[in-house]
Amino acid sequence: MSEPTQHPGGPRRGTSTAGVLRAAGVFVAGFALAVTALLPWAGLTAEFGILNASLTHAVRGVDAGPGWFVLGAGITAMLLGVLGATRNWLFTGLAILPGAVAAFALAMFLADPHDLVGRLDFQVSGLLRVHPTIQYGWFAGLLASVALAVLAAVALLRRR
């Protein structure tokens, strides 16, 4: 019998279809996470009662510090997904860390240390109401970070 060949960087996993699919899932979730950093996360909405209209000024994720962390976490997860498909299954499981970093950065985005929300939320009865809003990009980022963490955890649990 021949000895199995050892590869530098650790043992290679078999080319199982399920392992490649899990790595591809992590790659896609990482890509979605990176894209959400470019979407609007929050905004300031002014509603005009007389005109029955509203105006929103949006803030994208990369306009603030946490958005850059989410973008970096998404790119890192994409890289780990590629490494998980081509090298070792453990890389796919390690993508749980960028998912956790992104979820923490999204939570920190909502933390308002200067009570900005209280200062920006005001209303002139029947005429004007100004209030901060959370936009769809923040929710998409949260969903992508949770999906990334779940896919990475599944990759870790399936190999045990």
Side-chain angles (χ1 to χ4, degrees):
M1 272 174 53
S2 66
E3 293 284 325
T5 308
Q6 289 291 336
H7 298 283
R12 290 182 68 118
R13 66 170 181 83
T15 57
S16 74
T17 306
V20 171
L21 286 177
R22 285 190 287 270
V26 164
F27 178 85
V28 170
F31 179 75
L33 185 62
V35 168
T36 63
L38 305 174
L39 298 175
W41 281 12
L44 188 61
T45 300
E47 297 173 351
F48 303 98
I50 294 175
L51 302 174
N52 197 20
S54 65
L55 177 68
T56 300
H57 172 71
V59 176
R60 297 177 312 147
V62 292
D63 292 339
W68 290 102
F69 282 105
V70 170
L71 181 65
I75 293 170
T76 303
M78 289 170 53
L79 176 65
L80 289 171
V82 169
L83 289 173
T86 60
R87 298 277 182 204
N88 193 324
W89 63 270
L90 186 58
F91 287 110
T92 305
L94 287 176
I96 199 167
L97 297 174
V101 166
F104 181 73
L106 286 159
M108 293 310 297
F109 180 79
L110 289 184
D112 195 22
H114 302 293
D115 195 28
L116 188 61
V117 174
R119 290 185 293 180
L120 292 178
D121 193 6
F122 68 91
Q123 156 175 340
V124 177
S125 184
L127 296 176
L128 174 69
R129 180 167 184 240
V130 177
H131 57 93
T133 57
I134 301 299
Q135 299 287 322
Y136 65 93
W138 186 88
F139 292 106
L142 184 62
L143 179 65
S145 69
V146 169
L148 176 62
V150 167
L151 288 169
V154 166
L156 282 175
L157 294 176
R158 289 289 182 196
R159 287 303 286 188
R160 290 182 87 191

